[in-house]
Amino acid sequence: MSVTINNQHGNVYIATEVIATVVGASTTEIFGVVGMTSKSAVKDNVRSVLRQENYSKGVVVTTADNETSIDVYVVISYGVKISEVAKNIQERVRFNLENQLGITASSVNVYVQNVKVVED
């Protein structure tokens, strides 16, 4: 699956794995984010944090009617304000998708799958 961008020179097709990698890298830059986890982590009772090469498992990209929707599944650090971290994720993901790939996300949904105590 891919997202298509039309311009005066032709079409650009961007694979959802590329979008997921940009979203994952953007998300893990945010203070308070421990890492990303898979969509089914809560259901499967898996508490592992994804490594950088597996970010696409923690991001779901949906395209319909020329609109792109992003779902991000994260693990948050204990003691941070979850609503603020989620807002920062949404802003950073929108900004990086627009500037790096030229994609405007219609929605960025953040799902907090776990809270972890992180020792300094």
Side-chain angles (χ1 to χ4, degrees):
M1 189 176 195
S2 64
V3 174
T4 305
I5 300 174
N6 302 317
N7 61 27
Q8 71 268 18
H9 303 293
N11 296 327
V12 177
Y13 301 96
I14 301 174
T16 55
E17 290 82 14
V18 173
I19 297 169
T21 301
V22 170
V23 170
S26 302
T27 299
T28 55
E29 292 175 348
I30 302 295
F31 174 79
V33 175
V34 174
M36 304 196 50
T37 188
S38 69
K39 176 182 176 180
S40 60
V42 171
K43 182 180 80 172
D44 297 339
N45 200 20
V46 177
R47 303 211 186 273
S48 63
V49 175
L50 296 174
R51 293 177 175 235
Q52 186 172 1
E53 60 271 7
N54 294 328
Y55 282 163
S56 60
K57 293 180 183 176
V59 177
V60 176
V61 180
T62 308
T63 57
D65 301 328
N66 289 335
E67 290 190 353
T68 304
S69 175
I70 309 290
D71 295 338
V72 184
Y73 297 86
V74 295
V75 177
I76 301 291
S77 176
Y78 176 79
V80 297
K81 188 173 181 180
I82 293 175
S83 61
E84 194 66 31
V85 173
K87 185 183 94 165
N88 290 340
I89 291 170
Q90 291 171 325
E91 290 173 354
R92 178 78 54 94
V93 165
R94 282 183 187 273
F95 178 80
N96 284 347
L97 284 177
E98 184 85 25
N99 286 330
Q100 293 178 17
L101 302 177
I103 295 172
T104 303
S106 60
S107 65
V108 177
N109 305 307
V110 178
Y111 297 92
V112 179
Q113 298 286 71
N114 198 359
V115 176
K116 252 190 175 170
V117 177
V118 179
E119 299 176 11
D120 292 330

